[in-house]
Amino acid sequence: STHARINANNMKSAVICCGLSCLDLQLLGCTRSGAEEAIEHYEEAVYCAGGSASMNAATLSLLTKSSSDVDVHVLTKLGRDFNGDKMLQFYRETGSITDMVLIDPNVRTSMAVLPVFASGGRGCFVNLACNEGFTTDELLLQLDSAPDNVRAFLFGYPHLLPSIQGENLHAMLKSVKAKLGETCLIGVDLNGVSIDNHNDGLLRPALEEIDVLHLNEEEASILCGGEDSSSLHSYGCAVVLLSLGSRGVKISITKDSGRLSRCPGQIKRWNAGSSLHVPAFKIDGDINANGAGDALFSGFCLASSYSDETNVSLKQAGEFASLVARQRCDTKTRDSAPESANCLMKRVQEGNLPDIIV
């Protein structure tokens, strides 16, 4: 059998990773005693490029760096400052293309401090800074220099981008689709959703433009009152990717076959109304779960946007995404991604998968 290559027709494609960004200061190996004023310890302090645009770009750049057929672009807003320079350096080191990054000398680059707990999980303290004034107009202007053949546009964290919500988000995604074409997958990743900052008008108007929506259990309980994502589908979202942490991922497809047929890439071939649970795979090294959701989401969108010459089933896209997240959560493979996208897809197609977390 012919193994899926990222682009079967050898034409170079691009993915644009867009949205929130911040310089993350990760405090690794944190203790967590539970006492409010206890002195906690950490093993190591590490800077990395954080936020949706950065995490998705890093995951995909590392996955595709050995193949010459996918370019990964970052589209975000930074200040002209130390943190902004550090972000650009991180982007370039992973192999992401930074031509579409907006540098605004009048704003500060965002920074987050993330205690990553030795027992698993993480905390987050953030100053959103330049993200708070990032507008749809600024975003669309940067998109004017987008390359041809963009297979996926991944946008992250609308709840933390006050100017890109509700009707603004809807209009932006519509304009993106008009600019990049019908073959471009539109993915949206949620983070920072709380009872305080969520209302139905924030996301609902945009759902009809979203091919893949990613959220976790906590976010699903706020948006849908639980794991049942049918309300998201009823407003027009085609695929819902629900992270269950170490229990894997639940994927559901819209019942609306008309909506499904308008999806790009592989998605239009999947069965309307189907749903699937894909388990998480065991990790060999120490765990760093910072960016795990982003990796799952970007991996799934990469698999879903394979061109028509290739067949990727819903189950295969889910398993591929789970492998991508596993590689990103393992401290040994996190920043090198020794197995490329083509390697991981070959493993999925051959059923050569690691042990699952039971």
Side-chain angles (χ1 to χ4, degrees), residues 80-242:
R80 184 169 283 142
D81 51 21
F82 173 82
N83 289 354
D85 293 344
K86 198 113 184 91
M87 294 286 281
L88 286 170
Q89 183 191 333
F90 280 128
Y91 293 153
R92 288 167 186 152
E93 279 171 7
T94 57
S96 304
I97 298 169
T98 57
D99 299 1
M100 280 188 269
V101 174
L102 172 62
I103 311 284
D104 183 345
N106 301 312
V107 296
R108 279 184 311 146
T109 302
S110 173
M111 184 172 178
V113 179
L114 298 150
V116 178
F117 300 110
S119 57
R122 64 160 176 81
C124 181
F125 303 85
V126 67
N127 181 334
L128 291 168
C130 58
N131 295 292
E132 295 196 317
F134 192 22
T135 67
T136 54
D137 288 347
E138 287 175 332
L139 189 162
L140 293 168
L141 200 59
Q142 297 304 102
L143 207 61
D144 283 345
S145 57
D148 295 333
N149 199 22
V150 178
R151 65 194 273 177
F153 175 87
L154 309 184
F155 179 76
Y157 308 174
H159 286 78
L160 302 175
L161 294 163
S163 301
I164 313 181
Q165 298 176 348
E167 283 304 336
N168 284 347
L169 176 62
H170 178 230
M172 182 273 284
L173 294 178
K174 227 176 158 55
S175 299
V176 166
K177 196 79 168 175
K179 276 183 188 236
L180 301 180
E182 293 302 309
T183 56
C184 177
L185 178 149
I186 304 281
V188 172
D189 190 10
L190 300 185
N191 201 343
V193 180
S194 68
I195 291 166
D196 298 333
N197 72 8
H198 181 73
N199 62 74
D200 286 342
L202 194 151
L203 194 61
R204 195 174 279 176
L207 285 169
E208 65 184 35
E209 299 297 329
I210 300 174
D211 298 314
V212 177
L213 179 73
H214 171 252
L215 70 174
N216 64 22
E217 288 174 283
E218 208 175 312
E219 290 152 356
S221 71
I222 294 170
L223 266 72
C224 322
E227 276 190 28
D228 179 9
S229 48
S230 55
S231 63
L232 299 170
H233 291 307
S234 69
Y235 286 100
C237 178
V239 182
V240 175
L241 197 63
L242 177 62

Side-chain angles (χ1 to χ4, degrees), residues 323 339 343-344 346-354:
L323 285 177
E339 290 192 87
C343 282
L344 293 180
K346 187 169 184 246
R347 285 186 72 166
V348 166
Q349 290 175 327
E350 291 175 350
N352 174 23
L353 300 172

